[in-house]
Amino acid sequence: MAGGKLKSGTKHGKHKGKRWKKGHSSDSNPQIRKHRLTAKNRFFNQNVGSSGLTEAALAKHDEISEDGEDDITSTEKETGSVSGRTFSTWATNWTECTNTTFSRVHRYASSNSAMHKEILAVLAAVTEVIKASGGKESETEYFAALMTSLESVEGEQSLAAVAYLLSLVMKRVPPAVLKSRFSDIAKALLHVMASHVNTQFTSLLRSIIVCLTSVLRVQDPIVWNDSSTLQIYHGLLALTTHHKPKVRKAAHHAVCVILKGSSFMQHPESPHYHPASSATAKYCIQQIEDTGGTGEATTTLHMLGLLKDVLAVFPQHSVKAACETILRLMTLSNVLVTSVAMQTLHGMFSMQPKASSLPAELNAQIITALYDYQPGENDVQPLTAWLAVMEKAHVNLGRIDAKLCISHLPRIFNSAMKCLLSEKAEIAHVAADTLKILLNNCVASNMAFVKSVLTTAAESIPTPIHKMFRAVEGGLSYQFHAEWGQVLQILAAFFEVLGQECPKMMKKCLVSMADLRDSHRFPYKAELDHAVGVAVRRMGPRLVLEAVPLQITGNEDNYEFPRSWLIPVLRDNIKETELGFFTSYFLPLAAKLRAKSITYSKEDHLVESKTYDALQLQIWSLLPGFCTRPTDLKQSFKGVAKILGSAISDRADLRMTVMASLRKLIQHSLEREDNRTEVAKYAKNFLPILFNVFTVDTEYEKDPTRLAMLETIKTYLQLADRQLTASFCDKCLDKMLGQDIGSLQRHSLMDLAIAMVPHVNKPRLHRMHSFIVLQLESTDKTVQKKSYRILEEICAGKSPESIQFVTGTLTELQKLLLKSLSSSGPSSKAPRLRCLCHIFKNLKSSQHEFLIAVVPEAVLCTKEVGERARTAAYNLLDNMGTAQLTWSNKSQQETIQNYFELVMAGLAGSPHMVSATVLALTRLLYLYKADISRDLLELLVDQACLLLTSKAREIVQSALGYLKVLLSSFGDVDLAQHLKKLVLCLVSMKEDNKHHFRFKAKEIFGRLIRKFSYETIYSMVPESHHKMLVNLRKTQERAKKKKKPGGEYDEDEEEKSLKSSFKAESIDDILRDTDSEIDDVDDSRQTKAKKPHKKVAKSGSAWLKETGDDDIVDFMDPGVSKKVLATKPDSSVSSKKAVKHDFKMAPDGRLIITEEKEEMDTKIKKGKNVKEEAMDDLDELLDAMEGNPKKSRKRKMESIEVDEDEAPAKYKAGGSGIHRLIAVGKRKVGAGMGVEYKAKKAGGDMKKKGKPDPFAYVPLDFKQLNKRKRAKAAGQFKNLVKGAKKGAISGKRAKRRK
């Protein structure tokens, strides 16, 4: 802790340390700084002695880092072991061990654990024995020595250390050694495991398990046919039910590794299942049958957990037997066992077992059997788990056999739709998500089979697809009104998957949805619009409008248009459909609506006219969707082309929509040659129209319509014939050369020329070049800018003719650009610099003089106002550097140094030129930081230090930016020798600049501190800057504390949709609450919580669902699982059926109905006097001082009429008069502050002899100085002030009444 203060709470006894002098307890940085000086950064100190870090050591470290600690499934190295003293390891001083296998034990080197020290001692002894016998410290030698030690060592701790080292080395022992010595190794390990099965050292058993696993997984399949091998394996299986969780987990992992990751199971021609899988299944089934699922069923749960991971790799007969056992367990109605059994089945289906292990017929049988174990509709956790298992089962069945899967889907759809009627919203969401997943994974992935089913089936016989859709379509009935949103999402998924294949089946559903949409205050309009939109996208607008007509004809007497909501839905979703449908249906309708609008406008019916005009514009807004990849472009475009051309030329209100549609049509037609040819035919018709409209004089040049039109022209020129484009180019040039055109028209013609340059041939390029040579020195800056734009397009041309033209006229272009430098305006800088960029890219030979002539312009333009000009200037500097590297024969560092020196010549100019040069150097420094030599770096640092002492703010500002880039581009090693110089120039700035740029300088000091440490920089700056550095360090430390671990926090990642919040990611998440309840119970048996917040359910607790006194649960009924609940059923009336009211209830169950008016009249008649109000105000003030919440003084009088036949309810005091509460007027002594001042008879307070006056005093408490407790104190003061204000107001009112 550097520079910290002495904590105020620290107490020092006599002669127990140096005490602070009086008045100096808050001083920082004391004189004695021994530990601070020791911990100081040692950057400038040279390390003495040779370093043990070598390339070989790094290679060994990388090799070890890639090897996981518990990854025993990794492939062993068949080659020789890695040994030999190539470097000193961490344990050289402890064990003299040089084998990298034991490098992971380095975490024990500084441990105080006796076990860790024992491991080091054993390793040291084994290493000494190997070296004494002249060994090479190979893995095999260590393995042999450790196996010998395993048989001779005494004591469990030493045995555990040997076993741990053995588990490390056996992973690297060649498989041939383990195969040849298998029986001896297994015998020794089993002996240790059997004799220490109940040991307290769990690490011993875990290490033995790892060793056995390493031996067993490398054995050949023929070895597994031996009964002794299976006996060894059974020893591992026995530990899967061990009472120690860590041992049980290790054994569980070992079984999984052997069955899935044995060496022969990794080969391409591996057997379908491991030879020991049948024995594993038999063992698990036997254990489950012996223990059963009653009571705690601990062993059963452990076996189910093991089966979850290995059931998918069993042979078929074992899978069938295990699944039958699991299903029998679920009949015991033990909630916990049932949940874990579901988890096991879910794990099996999630692993997607092979057809040899789980054939389609067995998968279907399990699905059918699971319907008998469907939980009740309101049992959240079991039902969501059941749905998750059924989802995975159907998905797996669809992967194996599509036909069988499709035939089973209607039943799960019916069951899931019933779940939507559940009172629990979570169940409805999970059921809806399950159906959507089944549609996407079972139906959409098997669309070829679904199509064949739909095409071959008779119309009178419903297919499984029809049954599924009818089940979901039934959700539109009022019975499902609470979950219509979920039903509409499922229907949207249906439209997405099957909309193209069976549109006739869905027409009736669309009608029902439209009727719902038109109903009053329908709450799910957004979901319904989305579903209809999906139907439009998949079925096409023609079929949707046949089912749901638009109901807009132009002859309406009513102007409400109930189906107008369809137009925006159509606009957003129409694509890849028939363009001819727009021509035949929507165009006549739009024309009729426009005629109707014009008629009403002439009759001065403005509202009707505007309504029909808006409708026809909305109809036209559908056109871009129809032009998005139309399916009948070749047949339909000729029918709509003429109408589109007329709309562009005559209809200004439709121009933007039509041009956007035309651009989409052209862009998508480029994908197919026949469509491209069809659209290109009409270029001779559309381009003249676009040219004429574009060149017409408008009020201002930057009209958005003109920009859209120019973009449309550029797009259409991609398809136009070259000869047609050449003729248009000639006409454009002829008009530009004419003298009788206006300036705006000339600008428009030049824009057209810019658009046509990439598509014209070489003669036209020569003509263009001749034209712009005359215009580059024009006084009209717009003409000059557009001339440079034409030249830029010529230089950037990628066609062979453009490249050939630029190559042939490169010298002329250079002369032209150098000549026009003096006459170029500010607006022309950007295109001019881009022209120079293209020229430098095309220069193949050295043009050093041209580069020298261009550098000053590029440097000066880095200070231009326009952002595009600055960007072009920086790009030009980059291109010139690249060109110089290409031309030069010198080394890259020398070339870069020459280029920097060329640019640095600008430092001798005016302040503006110096500032621009510094900006240029900043850019080049960042680009070529890897090629800068030490001499050049020293020169750059010297120039920066010199510039910082300048008086001109412009120069200092650029120099500070340059310094920031310098610090970020180079490391501390490169800048260390220049550090003192940099710090000195920062503190030596002129006073005016130092104050003006203090924040930028502070930021640079912060970078220096992060790079070179605080103490180093602090020692280099004068005392006047110490305060700033201290503040900077505190700011950095504060920022580090505020920053959360793991980097910055992104709020968008935490946002989840509503549907995903109810859909569990896996069955582990679904059953997590059940497991946590068990854990809580186990913990509560050991330790008692001080204040439990919830009652934790007992493990395996279950409830029976009974609907009445006469309803007796029949446990022989196959559907009894629905009445066994995992959560306690709500005994109260259902929230959907309960009648809610705001009336009070009398103790005997009667309703108390009072009228507000009567209560107010009673209050007025029996109101309080002024003295009582003052008393209540005083009570509130005292309560506010104590921090107590404000109590309501509002009294309500309850009038209960008692029938003559019934006994009256017990009397309760309340109201006023003789029925008042006597205890209300009394106040307990000591109830709060200031009670002792209260008068006994009067209404206020009175003075007491020898005590302060009775005002509101707040006691001083040192605890309120704590930051965390200030909020509470502030709340008390707020209540105090509020009570005082209210008392003052009531006092004023009382004074007025007098």
Side-chain angles (χ1 to χ4, degrees):
M1 179 176 169
K5 297 180 181 179
L6 185 67
K7 294 184 179 179
S8 58
T10 306
K11 294 182 179 180
H12 292 280
K14 196 172 184 180
H15 305 298
K16 288 189 177 181
K18 188 172 181 179
R19 296 178 60 87
W20 295 108
K21 292 183 179 180
K22 187 174 182 180
H24 293 273
S25 59
S26 62
D27 288 353
S28 297
N29 298 325
Q31 296 297 323
I32 300 175
R33 300 189 299 171
K34 180 176 65 174
H35 298 291
R36 303 179 191 202
L37 293 174
T38 305
K40 220 174 203 183
N41 188 286
R42 294 176 52 86
F43 178 79
F44 294 101
N45 298 335
Q46 295 183 356
N47 292 323
V48 180
S50 59
S51 173
L53 186 63
T54 62
E55 293 182 0
L58 291 175
K60 299 295 182 183
H61 176 267
D62 295 339
E63 180 185 357
I64 294 303
S65 299
E66 293 173 359
D67 185 16
E69 181 176 348
D70 295 324
D71 187 15
I72 58 179
T73 64
S74 60
T75 305
E76 286 82 355
K77 296 184 178 180
E78 303 278 344
T79 60
S81 60
V82 178
S83 63
R85 192 181 181 89
T86 57
F87 66 97
S88 297
T89 65
W90 62 272
T92 301
N93 297 331
W94 291 77
T95 64
E96 293 295 330
C97 175
T98 60
N99 193 299
T100 58
T101 303
F102 303 101
S103 296
R104 68 186 57 185
V105 195
H106 68 278
R107 62 179 180 270
Y108 301 153
S110 59
S111 175
N112 293 325
S113 171
M115 182 64 191
H116 297 167
K117 292 180 179 179
E118 186 68 23
I119 292 173
L120 290 172
V122 171
L123 181 59
V126 172
T127 304
E128 187 178 353
V129 170
I130 292 173
K131 287 191 173 185
S133 60
K136 298 180 181 180
E137 294 189 63
S138 65
E139 283 82 359
T140 306
E141 291 173 336
Y142 273 103
F143 167 68
L146 288 170
M147 285 299 300
T148 305
S149 302
L150 188 68
E151 298 174 357
S152 59
V153 74
E154 296 181 358
E156 287 190 343
Q157 188 171 356
S158 300
L159 196 62
V162 173
Y164 175 75
L165 294 173
L166 194 61
S167 67
L168 293 181
V169 76
M170 284 185 71
K171 298 176 187 178
R172 297 200 172 196
V173 174
V177 176
L178 298 179
K179 290 178 182 179
S180 61
R181 309 292 295 176
F182 171 59
S183 58
D184 296 335
I185 298 169
K187 182 178 179 181
L189 293 175
L190 282 177
H191 175 72
V192 175
M193 186 175 69
S195 57
H196 298 86
V197 69
N198 295 319
T199 181
Q200 295 297 322
F201 289 92
T202 57
S203 60
L204 172 60
L205 283 177
R206 290 167 64 193
S207 300
I208 295 297
I209 290 171
V210 174
C211 294
L212 280 173
T213 307
S214 301
V215 175
L216 288 173
R217 66 181 295 269
V218 299
Q219 302 304 317
D220 296 327
I222 194 171
V223 179
W224 284 96
N225 296 330
D226 194 351
S227 59
S228 60
T229 307
L230 291 178
Q231 186 178 0
I232 298 168
Y233 179 70
H234 272 284
L236 276 179
L237 283 175
L239 294 179
T240 56
T241 58
H242 198 272
H243 62 281
K244 294 283 186 179
K246 291 183 179 180
V247 176
R248 189 169 60 246
K249 183 179 179 181
H252 184 144
H253 181 65
V255 172
C256 294
V257 167
I258 292 171
L259 295 183
K260 297 179 184 179
S262 292
S263 300
F264 60 87
M265 295 296 293
Q266 305 297 323
H267 297 160
E269 298 179 357
S270 61
H272 293 297
Y273 50 85
H274 196 279
S277 56
S278 298
T280 308
K282 187 176 180 181
Y283 176 82
C284 294
I285 294 171
Q286 186 66 37
Q287 290 292 320
I288 292 174
E289 289 178 350
D290 291 345
T291 57
T294 57
E296 295 295 332
T298 306
T299 304
T300 302
L301 296 178
H302 295 334
M303 288 296 99
L304 290 175
L306 177 61
L307 286 174
K308 174 189 171 184
D309 292 331
V310 298
L311 189 56
V313 297
F314 286 174
Q316 178 182 346
H317 63 87
S318 298
V319 171
K320 184 177 180 180
C323 289
E324 290 174 353
T325 304
I326 292 171
L327 292 174
R328 282 198 301 270
L329 279 177
M330 294 170 65
T331 59
L332 299 175
S333 299
N334 186 324
V335 175
L336 181 58
V337 173
T338 303
S339 300
V340 180
M342 287 285 187
Q343 192 173 359
T344 303
L345 294 175
H346 184 274
M348 179 188 69
F349 290 122
S350 299
M351 289 183 183
Q352 298 184 352
K354 299 177 182 178
S356 59
S357 297
L358 183 66
E361 294 77 11
L362 181 57
N363 194 334
Q365 290 174 6
I366 296 173
I367 290 174
T368 305
L370 283 173
Y371 283 105
D372 296 334
Y373 305 97
Q374 181 179 352
E377 286 80 4
N378 297 320
D379 209 0
V380 179
Q381 290 178 2
L383 186 55
T384 51
W386 183 83
L387 287 171
V389 173
M390 295 297 282
E391 171 198 315
K392 291 294 182 183
H394 283 85
V395 170
N396 188 67
L397 181 59
R399 182 181 60 87
I400 303 172
D401 190 338
K403 181 179 179 180
L404 197 58
C405 176
I406 297 297
S407 63
H408 277 76
L409 284 179
R411 188 174 181 183
I412 185 62
F413 268 71
N414 288 320
S415 300
M417 288 303 295
K418 291 178 183 177
C419 294
L420 292 180
L421 298 173
S422 172
E423 298 174 1
K424 307 293 184 180
E426 299 93 330
I427 294 177
H429 283 279
V430 172
D433 289 341
T434 300
L435 294 185
K436 287 185 282 186
I437 291 172
L438 290 177
L439 282 171
N440 291 321
N441 293 348
C442 296
V443 180
S445 58
N446 299 306
M447 192 53 66
F449 173 75
V450 173
K451 287 180 181 179
S452 64
V453 170
L454 293 173
T455 53
T456 57
E459 294 184 1
S460 59
I461 302 176
T463 64
I465 301 298
H466 288 79
K467 293 178 182 178
M468 293 157 54
F469 188 76
R470 286 176 186 173
V472 178
E473 188 180 5
L476 294 177
S477 61
Y478 191 76
Q479 184 183 8
F480 294 85
H481 72 281
E483 298 298 334
W484 272 342
Q486 300 296 330
V487 174
L488 290 171
Q489 290 183 20
I490 302 171
L491 287 172
F494 251 112
F495 293 142
E496 184 70 35
V497 175
L498 296 166
Q500 287 182 339
E501 280 66 33
C502 44
K504 294 182 180 179
M505 176 183 69
M506 301 177 178
K507 283 188 176 181
K508 182 181 176 183
C509 179
L510 286 172
V511 175
S512 303
M513 291 169 63
D515 294 340
L516 281 177
R517 181 66 166 76
D518 297 338
S519 61
H520 180 61
R521 299 181 68 180
F522 181 67
Y524 302 102
K525 291 182 180 180
E527 289 85 351
L528 193 144
D529 289 350
H530 172 69
V532 175
V534 175
V536 170
R537 197 161 58 243
R538 301 296 294 172
M539 298 169 60
R542 184 190 295 273
L543 293 174
V544 173
L545 289 176
E546 285 178 3
V548 186
L550 198 56
Q551 295 183 358
I552 298 176
T553 61
N555 300 320
E556 295 87 3
D557 296 331
N558 186 3
Y559 304 112
E560 292 183 358
F561 305 108
R563 294 280 172 85
S564 60
W565 58 270
L566 268 174
I567 297 178
V569 174
L570 291 169
R571 181 195 63 210
D572 296 338
N573 294 280
I574 289 177
K575 65 177 182 179
E576 300 179 10
T577 187
E578 306 167 278
L579 180 59
F581 182 63
F582 180 83
T583 308
S584 60
Y585 182 84
F586 286 106
L587 272 182
L589 179 60
K592 193 172 184 180
L593 294 175
R594 175 171 169 75
K596 195 89 171 177
S597 174
I598 294 173
T599 303
Y600 278 122
S601 178
K602 291 178 180 178
E603 296 175 359
D604 292 335
H605 294 164
L606 297 181
V607 176
E608 291 82 355
S609 175
K610 292 288 185 183
T611 301
Y612 280 105
D613 186 56
L615 276 176
Q616 65 95 16
L617 289 176
Q618 289 184 357
I619 296 295
W620 274 99
S621 69
L622 304 179
L623 181 58
F626 281 97
C627 291
T628 304
R629 295 189 182 89
T631 57
D632 59 343
L633 176 63
K634 195 172 181 180
Q635 298 80 19
S636 303
F637 186 62
K638 56 186 177 183
V640 75
K642 185 177 180 180
I643 299 172
L644 297 182
S646 302
I648 292 173
S649 58
D650 302 334
R651 297 284 303 276
D653 56 338
L654 299 178
R655 198 168 286 160
M656 294 289 285
T657 301
V658 174
M659 289 190 297
S661 306
L662 200 57
R663 288 196 300 273
K664 279 193 173 185
L665 195 68
I666 295 168
Q667 289 167 357
H668 294 305
S669 66
L670 295 173
E671 300 170 1
R672 294 181 56 181
E673 188 60 33
D674 54 345
N675 290 343
R676 179 190 179 108
T677 306
E678 182 67 23
V679 177
K681 287 180 184 178
Y682 297 90
K684 61 182 184 297
N685 304 108
F686 279 103
L687 286 176
I689 295 172
L690 293 169
F691 289 161
N692 292 334
V693 177
F694 184 74
T695 54
V696 172
D697 292 341
T698 56
E699 295 180 0
Y700 56 98
E701 189 173 354
K702 292 186 179 180
D703 185 5
T705 307
R706 287 172 51 80
L707 297 176
M709 194 168 300
L710 183 60
E711 189 64 30
T712 308
I713 291 170
K714 290 179 180 179
T715 306
Y716 219 134
L717 284 172
Q718 299 176 15
L719 301 177
D721 184 59
R722 295 295 181 184
Q723 294 181 356
L724 181 65
T725 305
S727 63
F728 287 143
C729 182
D730 292 337
K731 292 178 182 179
C732 180
L733 286 172
D734 293 340
K735 285 189 177 182
M736 284 192 294
L737 292 172
Q739 302 296 328
D740 56 344
I741 59 174
S743 60
L744 184 57
Q745 191 175 7
R746 186 182 297 275
H747 298 164
S748 301
L749 290 171
M750 295 186 76
D751 286 331
L752 293 177
I754 294 170
M756 286 187 284
V757 164
H759 309 286
V760 296
N761 52 20
K762 191 174 179 180
R764 269 79 185 180
L765 289 175
H766 276 288
R767 193 176 176 191
M768 286 270 193
H769 178 260
S770 302
F771 169 74
I772 62 173
V773 168
L774 303 174
Q775 305 298 328
L776 287 180
E777 298 183 2
S778 173
T779 55
D780 188 344
K781 299 304 178 184
T782 304
V783 172
Q784 186 187 88
K785 178 183 176 181
K786 293 184 184 297
S787 300
Y788 275 112
R789 284 283 294 114
I790 295 173
L791 185 60
E792 179 190 352
E793 292 295 332
I794 293 174
C795 296
K798 295 183 180 179
S799 64
E801 293 183 342
S802 299
I803 296 173
Q804 189 178 1
F805 171 78
V806 173
T807 305
T809 57
L810 202 56
T811 306
E812 297 178 14
L813 292 173
Q814 295 178 44
K815 293 179 180 179
L816 177 63
L817 290 171
L818 291 178
K819 180 182 176 183
S820 59
L821 173 60
S822 58
S823 60
S824 61
S827 60
S828 306
K829 292 293 184 183
R832 174 183 169 80
L833 291 171
R834 289 195 291 268
C835 290
L836 290 169
C837 287
H838 292 300
I839 287 176
F840 274 103
K841 288 179 182 178
N842 291 314
L843 288 175
K844 304 301 181 184
S845 59
S846 178
Q847 298 282 346
H848 193 65
E849 294 180 358
F850 180 64
L851 186 141
I852 293 174
V854 174
V855 164
E857 181 182 4
V859 170
L860 278 173
C861 287
T862 57
K863 294 283 290 182
E864 282 290 332
V865 177
E867 182 181 356
R868 293 182 179 178
R870 295 198 303 271
T871 304
Y874 288 130
N875 291 335
L876 179 57
L877 288 168
D878 187 12
N879 289 331
M880 288 191 293
T882 305
Q884 194 162 5
L885 287 171
T886 306
W887 301 337
S888 178
N889 297 324
K890 300 178 182 179
S891 65
Q892 197 161 343
Q893 283 191 352
E894 292 181 3
T895 306
I896 293 298
Q897 185 165 354
N898 293 336
Y899 185 42
F900 268 85
E901 291 174 354
L902 180 62
V903 176
M904 288 170 64
L907 295 176
S910 62
H912 183 79
M913 183 65 182
V914 172
S915 176
T917 305
V918 174
L919 291 177
L921 288 172
T922 304
R923 172 66 175 232
L924 295 175
L925 178 68
Y926 180 76
L927 289 174
Y928 301 107
K929 55 189 174 184
D931 300 321
I932 292 178
S933 61
R934 289 188 177 182
D935 296 337
L936 180 58
L937 179 61
E938 185 176 1
L939 178 62
L940 293 173
V941 171
D942 292 341
Q943 293 296 334
C945 296
L946 182 63
L947 293 170
L948 283 173
T949 58
S950 174
K951 293 182 179 179
R953 286 185 180 178
E954 187 179 14
I955 298 175
V956 175
Q957 183 177 7
S958 301
L960 288 172
Y962 172 79
L963 203 56
K964 283 174 61 177
V965 174
L966 185 72
L967 291 175
S968 62
S969 300
F970 294 94
D972 47 5
V973 177
D974 299 322
L975 296 175
Q977 56 183 338
H978 310 293
L979 179 59
K980 187 170 290 187
K981 193 187 304 181
L982 290 172
V983 174
L984 184 61
C985 71
L986 278 172
V987 300
S988 302
M989 288 194 299
K990 305 297 181 185
E991 288 299 326
D992 180 47
N993 293 331
K994 190 182 296 185
H995 176 74
H996 189 268
F997 298 111
R998 60 188 183 278
F999 296 112
K1000 290 188 177 183
K1002 188 176 180 180
E1003 184 180 355
I1004 293 174
F1005 272 115
R1007 290 173 181 262
L1008 289 172
I1009 289 174
R1010 288 194 295 270
K1011 194 176 285 288
F1012 296 103
S1013 81
Y1014 170 78
E1015 288 81 4
T1016 304
I1017 305 301
Y1018 189 88
S1019 63
M1020 291 183 176
V1021 299
E1023 191 174 354
S1024 58
H1025 287 69
H1026 285 179
K1027 187 176 181 181
M1028 182 266 292
L1029 290 181
V1030 171
N1031 175 263
L1032 188 59
R1033 184 189 61 177
K1034 290 181 179 179
T1035 305
Q1036 289 179 350
E1037 290 177 353
R1038 198 178 301 119
K1040 285 182 182 178
K1041 290 180 181 178
K1042 287 184 179 180
K1043 187 176 181 180
K1044 293 182 179 179
E1048 296 181 356
Y1049 179 76
D1050 189 8
E1051 294 181 357
D1052 296 336
E1053 292 179 356
E1054 207 174 50
E1055 296 179 359
K1056 295 182 179 178
S1057 60
L1058 183 62
K1059 60 180 182 180
S1060 63
S1061 62
F1062 291 99
K1063 177 65 179 175
E1065 294 179 0
S1066 64
I1067 196 155
D1068 296 324
D1069 299 330
I1070 295 173
L1071 301 174
R1072 185 176 296 161
D1073 294 341
T1074 306
D1075 297 337
S1076 64
E1077 289 179 356
I1078 304 160
D1079 296 337
D1080 293 342
V1081 171
D1082 294 337
D1083 294 340
S1084 63
R1085 292 174 181 173
Q1086 299 174 4
T1087 57
K1088 295 183 179 180
K1090 293 183 179 179
K1091 189 176 181 181
H1093 296 282
K1094 281 187 178 181
K1095 251 183 183 177
V1096 182
K1098 294 181 180 180
S1099 61
S1101 299
W1103 288 267
L1104 293 178
K1105 180 182 179 183
E1106 297 179 348
T1107 55
D1109 297 335
D1110 299 332
D1111 184 15
I1112 300 175
V1113 178
D1114 183 10
F1115 286 97
M1116 300 298 292
D1117 186 5
V1120 70
S1121 60
K1122 296 184 179 181
K1123 296 187 177 183
V1124 180
L1125 307 180
T1127 53
K1128 186 175 181 179
D1130 190 5
S1131 59
S1132 61
V1133 184
S1134 173
S1135 59
K1136 293 186 178 179
K1137 299 180 180 179
V1139 180
K1140 295 183 179 181
H1141 55 77
D1142 295 330
F1143 301 116
K1144 294 184 177 181
M1145 296 285 293
D1148 56 356
R1150 291 174 296 162
L1151 295 176
I1152 304 172
I1153 302 175
T1154 58
E1155 294 187 5
E1156 207 171 0
K1157 186 176 179 182
E1158 295 177 1
E1159 293 181 3
M1160 295 302 295
D1161 294 342
T1162 307
K1163 284 185 179 181
I1164 294 172
K1165 291 179 182 179
K1166 300 181 179 182
K1168 298 180 179 181
N1169 54 28
V1170 178
K1171 186 179 292 186
E1172 289 174 338
E1173 288 181 359
M1175 288 284 291
D1176 290 337
D1177 291 337
L1178 181 60
D1179 292 342
E1180 284 186 9
L1181 183 61
L1182 292 172
D1183 289 339
M1185 291 175 61
E1186 297 171 7
N1188 296 331
K1190 179 181 175 182
K1191 297 180 181 179
S1192 175
R1193 295 183 299 169
K1194 187 176 180 181
R1195 296 178 180 176
K1196 293 184 179 180
M1197 183 176 66
E1198 300 176 357
S1199 178
I1200 305 176
E1201 296 182 0
V1202 183
D1203 294 339
E1204 296 178 357
D1205 299 337
E1206 296 179 2
K1210 186 178 180 180
Y1211 173 77
K1212 290 185 179 181
S1216 58
I1218 61 173
H1219 301 286
R1220 71 185 184 278
L1221 288 171
I1222 300 176
V1224 171
K1226 296 181 180 180
R1227 190 177 182 92
K1228 292 182 180 180
V1229 179
M1233 290 187 298
V1235 178
E1236 61 270 18
Y1237 293 100
K1238 186 174 178 61
K1240 296 180 181 179
K1241 297 181 179 179
D1245 294 336
M1246 62 182 183
K1247 294 185 178 182
K1248 295 285 186 178
K1249 188 175 181 181
K1251 291 188 176 182
D1253 290 343
F1255 295 119
Y1257 294 98
V1258 178
L1260 297 177
D1261 189 358
F1262 74 93
K1263 293 181 180 179
Q1264 293 181 358
L1265 297 175
N1266 194 323
K1267 293 181 180 179
R1268 292 174 296 176
K1269 298 180 181 179
R1270 285 181 185 173
K1272 184 177 180 181
Q1276 293 179 356
F1277 286 118
K1278 287 180 181 177
N1279 294 334
L1280 177 65
V1281 174
K1282 189 183 294 184
K1285 286 182 179 179
K1286 190 168 183 181
I1289 293 172
S1290 61
K1292 286 183 180 179
R1293 290 176 182 170
K1295 200 171 184 180
R1296 289 173 187 169
R1297 291 174 186 172
K1298 291 180 180 180

